[in-house]
Amino acid sequence: MRILHTSDWHLGRQLHGRSLLADQAHVLEQVLDIAERDEVDVVLIAGDVYDRAVPPAEAVSLLGNTLRRLCVELGKQVILIAGNHDSAERLGFAAELLGHAGLHIVGPLTAEPRPLTLVAAERGGHTVSAIAVDFFGLPYAGPAQVRQTLGVEVSSHDEAMGALLERVESARDHSRPCVVMAHCFVAGGEASDSERPLSLGGADQVAGDRFAPYTYAALGHLHGPQHRGAQHIRYSGSILKYSFSEARQRKSVTLVDIDGAGGVTIAQRDLKPLRDVRIIEGSLDALLATGHTDPAADDFICARLTGSGAVLDVMGKLRAVYPNALQAVRLTRDSGGARFGAGRDVLKQSQYELFREFYCHVQGEGMSDAQQRYLQSLLQALQQEGSL
Amino acid sequence: MRILHTSDWHLGRQLHGRSLLADQAHVLEQVLDIAERDEVDVVLIAGDVYDRAVPPAEAVSLLGNTLRRLCVELGKQVILIAGNHDSAERLGFAAELLGHAGLHIVGPLTAEPRPLTLVAAERGGHTVSAIAVDFFGLPYAGPAQVRQTLGVEVSSHDEAMGALLERVESARDHSRPCVVMAHCFVAGGEASDSERPLSLGGADQVAGDRFAPYTYAALGHLHGPQHRGAQHIRYSGSILKYSFSEARQRKSVTLVDIDGAGGVTIAQRDLKPLRDVRIIEGSLDALLATGHTDPAADDFICARLTGSGAVLDVMGKLRAVYPNALQAVRLTRDSGGARFGAGRDVLKQSQYELFREFYCHVQGEGMSDAQQRYLQSLLQALQQEGSL
């Protein structure tokens, strides 16, 4: 059975106030192509399919259209769990009806997780045989929700996941391969700036070996593709770079082949963005000179500027050649010659994103352009006066 | 073929700040019962299934659960069009996938309406025969949207509906009975205070005889059950009384039998509310005395008070016996002995509802209790000083 594992689509998300809808549609075309060309049987989407509980109507249309093409045009089975950015109730609308068309959405947490058993022809053999795999989709749920829904005493995300997996253990058929989908932060995972913390102070971390007993753990939440502890406990990563801290990541989807003996083979398929998210570095003059002939001048750009002279309207000059320049950072050298500024910038960026998310969460809609500009200037001013 | 026609569920709506979710779930149980007991083939929901573009998560769950039971447990076909309160894009999510399970949602307007042809066994004959009926679901769309989507020049709601029905005419199979679903204000229709005007100054009205050529027109928008011009051009009305101006209405769903010759038989099935919406009238003392033994003291109450003495804390006294008293109006007599006050009250109520809708629409969430109280007191003060 061939599985395509993806997660963290964050449809409707913006990057520094710029819409990414065209970029998201662009890579989703590639996901559809891969599902078709690689003859995938099942597509797993491990949460955060939307960027917020009430996504923009265009994001709803993009998701609906993509899922329709996967299920109806390509005939794939799709399993989708709610992440911490999604509203489980809204995402779970009419889930049982959608199951008839091969779209299996796991919205709100239920006390007794039930497996979805899918059957596919086994590949590579001389005789045709079938392989059945159990899939358990666990939507994102914090300790409080697990306490309430399962009626168990858990106080950390790790204990909550333990309680959920206990239910999975008693519901699974041990004669079959078993795939678990979860949306969580596995301890030791490499985070980036674009994930919303599940809780503060590290209490959100789940021990990776909890997933060791399963044939494959299809994880969502962390935006960089990575495995934790073993190859089969894996984050596919997001479909796009959602912050400059991900500039060096290669975004991809994961292909997982499961054979009748429960053996697993893993491959990655790269996704090529419509506009890359890049950090460029040099003097302003040098960057502008390069930019004039840069074939990818439409990329989203963070410029790290060397040189100490005061320059007026840096962003205006940059945008004359890089229209999607979103950020400029001045690099300075300390006595040892090391650069700093970037760490601080990441901090600012993170606070910007955090506040933006918080605003969305509270107001049910994103900040206006004017509000985003004000927030940016405020954070910049605080940084300049040393308060950040 | 037997059709159950309903509309204007307005799930998530409040009445003067009170949640109606339990009341809505209560009557939806009756709709399910009627669909089963009366052996309905098709359920038509003619728009405004939600009260606003972004309904509360509980309303999403209630709709999802009701549709699941209709389609999966009872095996009914369901056709649902978006109304002016719904977000067509949000409601239309995964519509094509849901069609596989018998749930046919018509979200955004399309340039070429296509019929859904449903087949049922014909009733009452000695031999078993089948009847096929074409259903066209037209979601709510104002003139601007019809101009844009169909590429035609229309400037009024009436012309817009005309353009849509022209497309229906050219797409329908004239050898079959044909049912049109639409969400609009048919001229001459009896409005109530709880419908949001489609446009100002009467430009929202559609000529009823546009629907004359069809076997049945299942209309939504007006909350009182009524037909316009002919029996087969009909509003089922809302499932609950959503304002005191509807206190005298009987809420129901409409059953429509279509025979092979295109003949139509119409019946109504009453819906019994969990808590009625009532207007009571008398002196405060008399109302309080009656209230103490009123078996339906939980109803939503508007008290029309006779007598001229000043009374402190009228609402507090009323709520001691009618916990869901929502409004009190003092009746006064003019020289001719006629009462007034009510007309003015309806005006105030209408402005209150209009502003509440407007706030929801702009903010994406309802007003808080404190905001609603403030708005009410403001409107009351304006009314008292004669500005309203």
Side-chain angles (χ1 to χ4, degrees), chain B residues 7-23:
Chain B
S7 79
D8 295 270
W9 292 5
H10 287 277
L11 302 184
R13 191 185 187 101
Q14 298 184 330
L15 185 65
H16 292 248
R18 301 292 175 98
S19 168
L20 294 176
L21 216 69
D23 306 79

Side-chain angles (χ1 to χ4, degrees), chain B residues 96-113:
Chain B
E96 192 173 330
L97 296 176
L98 290 166
H100 290 250
L103 174 58
H104 312 278
I105 296 181
V106 189
L109 185 69
T110 52
E112 300 297 338

Side-chain angles (χ1 to χ4, degrees), chain A residues 49-121:
Chain A
V49 72
Y50 290 132
D51 193 50
R52 52 186 207 244
V54 181
E58 299 80 19
V60 175
S61 297
L62 178 57
L63 179 64
N65 197 35
T66 305
L67 295 174
R68 178 187 61 75
R69 291 172 63 192
L70 274 173
C71 295
V72 179
E73 290 180 13
L74 303 182
K76 307 303 180 192
Q77 298 284 321
V78 176
I79 312 179
L80 165 58
I81 61 172
N84 59 308
H85 281 245
D86 304 306
S87 158
E89 286 77 18
R90 292 178 198 282
L91 200 58
F93 173 75
E96 192 173 329
L97 296 177
L98 290 167
H100 290 250
L103 174 59
H104 312 278
I105 297 181
V106 190
L109 185 69
T110 51
E112 300 297 338
R114 281 180 311 172
L116 177 72
T117 305
L118 296 177
V119 177

Side-chain angles (χ1 to χ4, degrees), chain A residues 181-205:
Chain A
M181 298 171 70
H183 193 89
C184 61
F185 192 151
V186 168
E190 185 201 337
S192 48
D193 286 348
S194 57
E195 297 126 11
R196 184 194 295 160
L198 302 177
S199 77
L200 296 176
D204 54 355
Q205 306 211 346

Side-chain angles (χ1 to χ4, degrees), chain B residues 188-344:
Chain B
E190 185 201 338
S192 48
D193 286 348
S194 58
E195 296 126 10
R196 185 195 294 161
L198 301 177
S199 78
L200 296 177
D204 54 355
Q205 306 210 347
V206 169
D209 55 11
R210 291 204 178 273
F211 297 105
Y214 302 98
T215 312
Y216 185 76
L219 304 177
H221 183 57
L222 298 182
H223 288 186
Q226 58 196 289
H227 64 272
R228 302 310 317 161
Q231 286 282 340
H232 72 288
I233 301 172
R234 182 171 288 268
Y235 288 95
S236 64
S238 59
I239 52 172
L240 283 177
K241 300 174 184 175
Y242 286 123
S243 67
F244 286 113
S245 74
E246 293 157 72
R248 295 232 164 86
Q249 292 178 3
R250 288 178 65 181
K251 298 299 182 180
S252 57
V253 296
T254 308
L255 290 186
V256 185
D257 277 319
I258 298 181
D259 63 32
V264 169
T265 315
I266 292 169
Q268 278 174 288
R269 293 282 182 273
D270 284 350
L271 299 174
K272 289 186 186 54
L274 180 61
R275 298 172 287 190
D276 202 358
V277 172
R278 279 196 291 146
I279 299 176
I280 56 177
E281 187 173 322
S283 71
L284 183 59
D285 286 344
L287 294 184
L288 295 179
T290 314
H292 275 296
T293 56
D294 190 334
D298 274 343
D299 285 352
F300 297 112
I301 298 292
C302 168
R304 294 159 57 106
L305 299 174
T306 57
S308 58
V311 185
L312 283 175
D313 191 20
V314 171
M315 289 309 291
K317 289 192 172 78
L318 272 171
R319 284 186 177 154
V321 290
Y322 288 109
N324 296 314
L326 300 177
Q327 201 172 43
V329 191
R330 181 167 296 280
L331 296 174
T332 52
R333 289 165 191 277
D334 69 7
S335 54
R339 287 164 181 176
F340 60 89
R344 181 146 294 191

Side-chain angles (χ1 to χ4, degrees), chain A residues 16-212:
Chain A
H16 292 248
R18 301 293 176 98
S19 168
L20 295 176
L21 216 68
D23 306 81
Q24 292 172 326
H26 182 84
V27 292
L28 288 181
E29 283 294 333
Q30 296 168 42
V31 173
L32 286 159
D33 280 351
I34 295 165
E36 182 175 21
R37 210 174 41 233
D38 281 305
E39 297 178 8
V40 158
D41 298 302
V42 191
V43 176
L44 307 182
I45 311 172
D48 285 0
V49 72
Y50 290 132
D51 193 50
R52 52 186 207 244
V54 181
E58 299 80 19
V60 175
S61 297
L62 178 57
L63 179 64
N65 197 35
T66 305
L67 295 174
R68 178 187 61 75
R69 291 172 63 192
L70 274 173
C71 295
V72 179
E73 290 180 13
L74 303 182
K76 307 303 180 192
Q77 298 284 321
V78 176
I79 312 179
L80 165 58
I81 61 172
N84 59 308
H85 281 245
D86 304 306
S87 158
E89 286 77 18
R90 292 178 198 282
L91 200 58
F93 173 75
E96 192 173 329
L97 296 177
L98 290 167
H100 290 250
L103 174 59
H104 312 278
I105 297 181
V106 190
L109 185 69
T110 51
E112 300 297 338
R114 281 180 311 172
L116 177 72
T117 305
L118 296 177
V119 177
E122 194 165 1
R123 285 156 202 279
H126 291 288
T127 55
V128 175
S129 61
I131 171 172
V133 176
D134 278 354
F135 292 87
F136 285 90
L138 304 176
Y140 169 72
Q145 202 186 337
V146 170
R147 267 201 304 276
Q148 193 191 335
T149 308
L150 273 67
V152 293
E153 269 315 308
V154 295
S155 59
S156 67
H157 278 69
D158 186 53
E159 288 172 13
M161 186 58 75
L164 288 171
L165 292 175
E166 260 180 38
R167 302 283 167 105
V168 169
E169 275 308 296
S170 60
R172 72 178 277 201
D173 177 342
H174 282 80
S175 70
R176 288 186 192 134
C178 180
V179 172
V180 169
M181 298 171 70
H183 193 89
C184 61
F185 192 151
V186 168
E190 185 201 337
S192 48
D193 286 348
S194 57
E195 297 126 11
R196 184 194 295 160
L198 302 177
S199 77
L200 296 176
D204 54 355
Q205 306 211 346
V206 169
D209 56 10
R210 290 204 179 273
F211 297 104

